Amino acid sequence: MKKHVLCFGEVLWDTFADGKKAGGAPMNVARHLAQQKVEVSFASRIGNDESGKELEQFLKENNLYCACLQHDNELPTCEVTVELDADNQATYIIPEPVSWDNIKAEKGLRKHAKKVSAIVYGSLASRSKTTRHTLRTLLDESPALKIFDVNLRAPHFELSTIETLAAKADVVKMNEEEAYLLVGAKDHDNLKEHIIEFKKKYHVKTICVTRGDKGAMVLHNGKIYEHPGFKVQVEDTVGAGDAFLATFIKGLLKESPMEQVLEKACAVGAYVTTRRGANPEYTKEEIRAIRAALSEGK
């Protein structure tokens, strides 16, 4: 039976001074999974407004539209204001409440979640009681592999909620900054020790910490794996973590050796930083070229 992944959470418009782009970490992960030929569905909620119609059309064009997309008659589709500083570092102003704060535990969604191989979820959509309850219902009812992409967006989270979501997960992925907050580590060597303690506390099977251009660290089946990352010419870092996670998920579902899973995830994440935007297209040959460059010492 083919593996199928359900991505759950926010979908939105990132609004820049010169226009807007469809975004939301769960949706980006779904797009990368689809590009890598993994069967995927996406569950969220949009408003019955013009922005929602445009997002729905976008999802259809990217083969991510399904019956798990809900429509809200009262709350608006989310439009995030993105402000860039002189160094092109982004600040996100996320309105509240919006349509994906009201994702309901509808019968069709619950039935679908029980059939999938994996459920991917983040923390942002769980800022609201309704969506948080729906997610916990899906996680409690489904036998799927649960993958928690921490993805903190201050001030839209509470530590108690993050801890609950982590306790529900089989796999937790976070970046270094999030790891230092949640795990309590202060440096690279200290991080290993604290990841092991985190696993004992939450009984997570796999913990992955991405480290930007320094690669990633994974605790899997009681063993620590590390990859130094790939040196590339960076255009922007938007979506790199989502691309990494999608590749990591595909490798986990295929039960590939963790060394290979981690290397390829780092390579795809690195490639995405060489192109503008969160979802550039890439080929197997382009990813192989990045992996070969490291092995040749380039």
Side-chain angles (χ1 to χ4, degrees):
M1 189 170 112
K2 289 191 73 172
K3 304 292 185 179
H4 188 107
V5 179
L6 170 63
C7 293
F8 175 97
E10 67 273 11
V11 65
L12 50 88
W13 289 110
D14 281 323
T15 305
F16 300 84
D18 59 351
K20 63 183 183 181
K21 293 182 179 180
M27 191 274 292
N28 286 336
V29 172
R31 287 188 70 187
H32 283 288
L33 284 167
Q35 184 173 174
Q36 296 184 34
K37 310 302 181 187
V38 176
E39 288 192 0
V40 61
S41 49
F42 176 60
S44 189
R45 192 173 180 97
I46 56 176
N48 277 326
D49 48 29
E50 197 58 37
S51 289
K53 292 176 183 177
E54 292 173 358
L55 266 181
E56 185 169 330
Q57 183 60 34
F58 175 87
L59 293 173
K60 288 178 178 178
E61 291 172 355
N62 286 274
N63 299 314
L64 294 179
Y65 177 82
C66 72
C68 294
L69 181 68
Q70 302 175 9
H71 299 78
D72 200 291
N73 290 321
E74 297 180 6
L75 295 175
T77 300
C78 183
E79 295 194 15
V80 174
T81 301
V82 184
E83 298 179 347
L84 301 176
D85 62 19
D87 297 320
N88 281 327
Q89 295 299 309
T91 300
Y92 301 92
I93 302 174
I94 307 173
E96 184 179 7
V98 293
S99 50
W100 47 257
D101 286 313
N102 195 36
I103 302 175
K104 302 290 184 65
E106 295 178 349
K107 184 178 179 179
L109 175 57
R110 293 170 65 181
K111 183 178 180 180
H112 181 67
K114 293 175 184 177
K115 297 179 179 179
V116 300
S117 306
I119 300 175
V120 185
Y121 60 97
S123 59
L124 180 55
S126 284
R127 67 181 182 178
S128 73
K129 182 177 180 180
T130 300
T131 299
R132 185 165 64 246
H133 172 74
T134 296
L135 176 58
R136 291 187 63 175
T137 298
L138 301 183
L139 297 178
D140 287 342
E141 293 181 348
S142 176
L145 185 73
K146 283 86 173 180
I147 302 169
F148 179 28
D149 179 16
V150 177
N151 200 31
L152 299 182
R153 289 289 182 266
H156 301 281
F157 69 89
E158 295 182 0
L159 192 55
S160 59
T161 298
I162 303 304
E163 290 175 339
T164 299
L165 295 176
K168 297 284 184 183
D170 300 302
V171 180
V172 173
K173 176 258 184 186
M174 50 191 148
N175 62 31
E176 268 189 309
E177 184 177 343
E178 292 162 345
Y180 295 152
L181 173 65
L182 301 179
V183 179
K186 292 182 172 56
D187 56 46
H188 177 266
D189 293 331
N190 194 239
L191 180 59
K192 294 181 182 180
E193 299 172 11
H194 282 75
I195 285 177
I196 293 171
E197 290 303 312
F198 186 89
K199 181 182 186 302
K200 290 178 181 177
K201 181 177 180 180
Y202 295 104
H203 307 289
V204 179
K205 296 177 182 177
T206 303
I207 301 170
C208 178
V209 179
T210 56
R211 309 181 62 233
D213 62 359
K214 299 186 294 294
M217 179 188 297
V218 176
L219 173 60
H220 180 68
N221 289 337
K223 182 178 178 180
I224 293 283
Y225 299 84
E226 292 189 74
H227 192 280
F230 296 89
K231 303 304 177 185
V232 294
Q233 186 66 40
V234 176
E235 182 69 22
D236 71 44
T237 60
V238 177
D242 301 328
F244 175 100
L245 179 56
T247 311
F248 192 80
I249 291 168
K250 181 178 180 179
L252 280 180
L253 293 178
K254 290 179 63 178
E255 299 182 357
S256 300
M258 182 50 65
E259 295 93 342
Q260 294 180 19
V261 174
L262 187 55
E263 181 189 15
K264 187 170 183 180
C266 285
V268 174
Y271 179 84
V272 169
T273 70
T274 69
R275 299 291 185 270
R276 185 163 294 281
N279 293 282
E281 294 186 2
Y282 41 85
T283 64
K284 292 181 179 180
E285 290 71 27
E286 287 169 321
I287 302 306
R288 286 196 195 103
I290 287 180
R291 298 171 74 180
L294 182 68
S295 64
E296 294 168 5
K298 294 181 182 177

